[in-house]
Amino acid sequence: MPGINPGSPISAATTIYLTDSTALALIVTCNTTPETQVGTYQVGCMCIRTDNGTLYSMTGTTASPAWTLNGVGSVGPTGATGYTGYTGYTGYTGRTGYTGYTGP
């Protein structure tokens, strides 16, 4: 049935939560590498892997599903540090006063 599903298992490892008007999965969860059942997933379907929190998107076709892990890769260089701004006047410190008698 198209639309929001309360969690429709399609295997021991995969559950569909949202489908499009043609009953292809748009949002699924899995507890292993996403499965590749033909005619099950819409292009762009998101798969949340519940055992490690990773997110996959279906980048293949409905006839030949392929999953791409999102958010992987190296981090780019850090940009330049900006101007820190004016620190302001610290004020007059004055003369050190008498310390008093310290003993023999």
Side-chain angles (χ1 to χ4, degrees), residues 37-97:
Q37 296 97 327
V38 173
T40 304
Y41 309 102
Q42 182 58 271
V43 175
C45 176
M46 302 304 293
C47 179
I48 303 162
R49 189 167 167 178
T50 57
D51 64 333
N52 65 12
T54 54
L55 180 66
Y56 293 83
S57 56
M58 206 286 274
T59 54
T61 65
T62 301
S64 180
W67 295 94
T68 301
L69 182 60
N70 294 338
V72 295
S74 60
V75 176
T78 303
T81 302
Y83 177 67
T84 58
Y86 178 69
T87 57
Y89 178 66
T90 58
Y92 177 71
T93 57
R95 174 177 149 294
T96 304

